[in-house]
Amino acid sequence: MKPFSHGNATSIEEALEALSGMSWPLAGGTDLLALMKEEVAAPERLVNLKTILGLDAIAERQSGNENEWHIGALTTLSALSQTPAFADHLGLRCLVQAAQESASPQLRHMATLGGNLVQRPRCWYFRNRHVPCWRKGGRRCFAFKGENKYHTILGGGPCYAVHPSDPAVALLALNASLLIAGAQGRRVVSLEDFYVMPRPDRQREDGYHPVTILEPNEILTAIVVPEPQANSRSVYVKRTERGAWDFALVSAAASLRLEDDVVKEARIALGGVAAIPWRANAVEEVLIGQPLSPELIEHAAGAAVAEAKPLEHNAYKVDLIKGALRQALQI
Amino acid sequence: MAISFRGPGPIPIDLNVNGEERTVFIEPRRTLLSVLREELGLTGAKHGCGRGQCGACTVIIDGETAYACLTLAVDCEGRSIRTIESVSHGEQLHPVQEAFIEHDGYQCGFCTPGQVVAAVSLLEHNPSPTEAEVREAMAGNVCRCGAYPNIVTAVLDAARQGTGRDPGVSGATVASGEEG
């Protein structure tokens, strides 16, 4: 690990003042410190956010006529997965399922929800400092024609690494928003708009091509989840190679509201298939207004992969995501 | 107030390790694992993968298990750190350690300190776990010898024998972000 200096922030304002291109925020550290050990990342200063009080609180608030849940960005995945208000809530439980199925107990104690949403890809080319891949500022993606078993089937390039977060997929299905603090003030962005496909003109000082609109001098402070309407239900289905502690090969989150077995509302998100958590609009269009029959579910699963373009070693993901989505829709 | 940055050279850090206050003079880039092993002589926690994938470095920070290899020592100021060295009292082993011996919960033993710390922490939070809960709680500790069946048996047996010897800790609840 390259040397760096370290400071404890006691307020968001203090932290914002200290952040810049090579002065980075540190939360749980489970991703950042691993990247720094590999020297894939080498910030000159770390601004510890964990010393800011109150950023790990979960609270229900009223917004107009609607209730919404504010989850502080420093909430750990283990605290999130043990929040009864979510675990016992049919409409919100996909978030708890996604948090509970992330990583290992130790990592869930350490990792924060905010950090989980902005973690960097797990692609083996990206994580190898000797490989100058496009995502970290090099010329090309080595996965596209290389070892791409775990890579994308939707959305195309120029980077084919999937976004590794489980909670992001659940939060996309739950129509979550993010509170972002910056020197110019606060802004609210839907999770769907927060993630953007990587592109050449969006690049960090260290060469990294991000897939979020978060600027280096901004801090993600909270995740806001609207209270689902009555009769909503949600589920997160994750497919892994191992039975424990693994990243998703693929995953599916479904948030549905049914009336007399007819789908009134549906938000479907897919993980492990694209460079960002993937909203499956085509699936939602198939579902809404129709009785939730086995035929409809089959039709919906097909719609999820209609645009899929698998790479040489990951065609299995097409069937796998269809199966995950079928299971999510049957619950 | 502007943040006062320390480093990148060595700085004094105060740590509470196994109930003792220790001061070390280290660079901010040092992990808790390297400080425990190389500065404090506590070599029970092992350096396995060094990237949070094996669990051999498992310690307990503020009542919850964590990987010392992905934790900066400087981030542990003001927090309570417990290592495998605190689990036994002299020659008197912890019931989890006795159960690992009884049920042969290891072969090479390299992962064992991390396994024992994870099991001790589990039983402090949940004195009567089901087998599924044991498997889930131990999922962050890899054993390359494949002693998993015996490890699960040992933890379940330790639970049956009762391990609640530290009521102040065994009653601890999981922090759920309610404060502040």
Side-chain angles (χ1 to χ4, degrees), chain A residues 106, chain B residues 45 55-60 65-68 82-84 113-114 117-118 140-141:
Chain A
Q106 289 92 329
Chain B
C57 66
T58 299
V59 296
I60 299 174
T65 54
Y67 295 140
R82 288 165 60 204
T83 70
I84 183 68
V117 168
N141 293 77

Side-chain angles (χ1 to χ4, degrees), chain A residues 255-258 262-268 279-292 296 300:
Chain A
S255 173
L256 300 176
R257 187 169 65 81
L258 301 181
V262 172
V263 180
K264 290 294 180 184
E265 290 182 57
R267 277 183 71 98
I268 309 295
R279 173 121 184 243
N281 298 90
V283 176
E284 296 169 12
E285 282 164 23
V286 167
L287 293 171
I288 291 170
Q290 303 297 319
L292 191 59
L296 186 76

Side-chain angles (χ1 to χ4, degrees), chain A residues 1-9 14-15 17-18 26 28-30 33-34 37-38 45-48 50 54 56-58 79 82 100 104-110 244-245, chain B residues 1-8 27-29 31 50-54 58 64-67 69-72 74-75 79 118 136-137 139-142 174-177 179-180:
Chain A
M1 202 182 323
K2 296 261 167 77
F4 58 86
S5 55
H6 176 282
N8 293 321
E14 240 182 33
E17 205 174 292
L26 171 67
T30 57
L33 293 179
K37 283 185 157 195
E38 300 292 337
R45 294 201 310 190
L46 289 187
V47 179
N48 181 21
K50 294 187 291 295
D56 61 353
I58 299 177
Q82 290 164 24
Q100 181 67 38
S104 69
Q106 289 92 329
L107 289 169
R108 292 195 295 273
H109 293 148
M110 303 161 72
W245 189 10
Chain B
M1 281 282 287
I3 297 172
S4 61
F5 284 88
R6 298 185 295 169
E27 293 177 63
R29 65 173 164 167
T31 63
R51 55 179 72 173
Q53 294 174 357
C54 79
T58 299
E64 301 280 13
T65 54
Y67 295 140
C69 76
L70 280 189
T71 302
L72 292 178
V74 63
D75 279 351
R79 308 177 74 186
E136 172 56 34
N141 293 77
V142 173
V174 176
S176 61
E179 56 167 14

Side-chain angles (χ1 to χ4, degrees), chain A residues 52-315:
Chain A
I52 303 175
L53 293 180
L55 272 187
D56 61 353
I58 299 177
E60 191 174 11
R61 294 185 193 170
Q62 191 130 17
S63 165
N65 290 329
E66 311 285 323
N67 275 359
E68 57 188 28
W69 293 89
H70 279 236
I71 306 170
L74 289 183
T75 301
T76 62
L77 295 186
S78 75
L80 182 62
S81 65
Q82 290 164 24
T83 302
F86 296 160
D88 302 338
H89 192 308
L90 270 186
L92 294 173
R93 65 178 178 180
C94 70
L95 179 56
V96 166
Q97 292 167 336
Q100 181 67 38
E101 291 184 33
S102 298
S104 69
Q106 289 92 329
L107 289 169
R108 292 195 295 273
H109 293 148
M110 303 161 72
T112 66
L113 181 58
N116 180 276
L117 298 182
V118 299
Q119 65 184 304
R120 293 192 172 187
R122 301 282 154 182
C123 170
W124 37 41
Y125 297 108
F126 175 78
R127 297 258 160 181
N128 185 330
R129 76 180 128 140
H130 302 295
V131 178
C133 81
W134 180 85
R135 186 67 178 268
K136 58 180 184 271
R139 288 221 184 125
R140 66 187 187 96
C141 171
F142 292 84
F144 180 59
K145 294 282 185 189
E147 295 296 332
N148 47 38
K149 178 179 175 185
Y150 300 116
H151 292 72
T152 68
I153 58 170
L154 287 166
C159 170
Y160 292 83
V162 300
H163 196 278
S165 169
D166 293 304
V169 180
L171 287 167
L172 183 55
L174 295 176
N175 196 18
S177 302
L178 305 176
L179 300 189
I180 294 170
Q184 271 71 53
R186 310 289 166 105
R187 56 176 176 151
V188 184
V189 181
S190 73
L191 189 90
E192 189 169 8
D193 293 336
F194 181 72
Y195 288 108
V196 286
M197 290 297 284
R199 58 183 208 211
D201 64 339
R202 196 191 301 277
Q203 194 167 18
R204 292 284 174 85
E205 194 173 320
D206 66 340
Y208 178 67
H209 289 94
V211 293
T212 75
I213 58 162
L214 193 70
E215 297 292 337
N217 57 358
E218 290 183 317
I219 298 172
L220 172 56
T221 60
I223 295 89
V224 181
V225 182
E227 171 74 16
Q229 291 194 35
N231 300 322
S232 297
R233 63 195 199 192
S234 74
V235 66
Y236 183 70
V237 173
K238 177 175 176 176
R239 295 278 191 262
T240 58
E241 281 187 313
R242 301 192 303 177
W245 189 10
D246 206 354
F247 287 100
L249 293 169
V250 300
S251 68
S255 173
L256 300 176
R257 187 169 65 81
L258 301 181
E259 277 177 25
D260 301 327
D261 259 0
V262 172
V263 180
K264 290 294 180 184
E265 290 182 57
R267 277 183 71 98
I268 309 295
L270 308 177
V273 294
I276 57 175
W278 195 255
R279 173 121 184 243
N281 298 90
V283 176
E284 296 169 12
E285 282 164 23
V286 167
L287 293 171
I288 291 170
Q290 303 297 319
L292 191 59
S293 63
E295 294 74 24
L296 186 76
I297 289 175
E298 201 52 44
H299 185 191
V305 295
E307 308 279 318
K309 287 195 178 65
L311 305 168
E312 186 180 353
H313 303 294
N314 68 3

Side-chain angles (χ1 to χ4, degrees), chain B residues 82-94:
Chain B
R82 288 165 60 204
T83 70
I84 183 68
E85 284 85 355
S86 73
V87 167
S88 63
H89 289 304
E91 295 294 306
Q92 191 196 341
L93 297 183
H94 188 282

